[in-house]
Amino acid sequence: MTRCKILVATGNRGKLREILEIVGEMPVEWATLADYPPMPEAVEDGATFEANAEKKALHYASLAGVWTLADDSGLVVDALGGAPGVHSARYSGSRNDSANNRRLIAELRGVPQSLRTARFVCHAVLAEPGRVLACAEGTVEGVIIDEARGVNGFGYDPHFLLPGLNRTSAELDAAEKNRVSHRGQAMRRLAEQLERLLAQSHI
């Protein structure tokens, strides 16, 4: 099987480590945006996680000229009509986790716990220049709680309670989170497709 290069569309090496922990060993030379000269950011103006992941993967694949893995993820709250959804990262108007969480809890004020059902969604896409090669989605169900719990994770994790575990996402260690998380599910499903693509590829 030929070794190939895959760009993960993030400058965050921590996110790359998380992905590698999920997908395991593959004949791949992994890179991040930090390994390339600065490139224009992808415009993520899609109405769905799938659309934004595709835009990001195709954008950077075209600029870098290599297979590119991108994902888009966020929180969907039923009582808020699906918000924050694709706007999860900037729900408060900025990329600030504390501010985003404050707005989330304020929007749910007065909503009973039984109606605070929510899910994290992740859509992952692998693309080559001009073409999507594979895609996968993962979801994890939970409820939103007012009081933050846990110090692990990021974003909305401290307020996202997993009823089956009676713990928030922020109370899980990395291995536990990878087993149950939306990103873990999506990446494992994408990895199965990637293995088949690598077996067929001569790049």
Side-chain angles (χ1 to χ4, degrees), residues 49-71:
F49 297 115
E50 179 179 6
N52 282 333
E54 284 192 8
K55 283 174 176 283
K56 196 186 304 185
L58 289 166
H59 173 81
Y60 289 112
S62 175
L63 292 176
V66 297
W67 285 12
T68 298
L69 172 62
D71 75 277

Side-chain angles (χ1 to χ4, degrees), residues 63-83:
L63 292 176
V66 297
W67 285 12
T68 298
L69 172 62
D71 75 277
D72 193 45
S73 58
L75 178 68
V76 174
V77 181
D78 295 319
L80 300 180

Side-chain angles (χ1 to χ4, degrees), residues 20-148:
L20 295 185
E21 288 171 359
I22 295 168
V23 303
E25 288 294 325
M26 288 189 175
V28 170
E29 177 189 345
W30 298 94
T32 72
L33 294 175
D35 298 309
Y36 285 80
M39 291 183 272
E41 285 191 17
V43 178
E44 298 175 52
D45 56 359
T48 64
F49 297 115
E50 179 179 6
N52 282 333
E54 284 192 8
K55 283 174 176 283
K56 196 186 304 185
L58 289 166
H59 173 81
Y60 289 112
S62 175
L63 292 176
V66 297
W67 285 12
T68 298
L69 172 62
D71 75 277
D72 193 45
S73 58
L75 178 68
V76 174
V77 181
D78 295 319
L80 300 180
V86 294
H87 306 293
S88 292
R90 296 185 175 87
Y91 195 40
S92 63
S94 66
R95 282 186 174 271
N96 182 288
D97 288 349
S98 296
N100 288 339
N101 279 307
R102 283 196 299 271
R103 179 178 178 187
L104 174 67
I105 299 308
E107 296 278 359
L108 287 172
R109 188 172 294 120
V111 177
Q113 196 70 52
S114 61
L115 297 181
R116 290 183 172 208
T117 51
R119 65 206 51 83
F120 277 128
V121 179
C122 176
H123 199 94
V125 170
L126 179 72
E128 64 181 2
R131 184 167 72 105
V132 170
L133 297 171
C135 60
E137 188 172 83
T139 63
V140 58
E141 299 288 334
V143 295
I144 304 301
I145 58 174
D146 284 337
E147 297 299 321

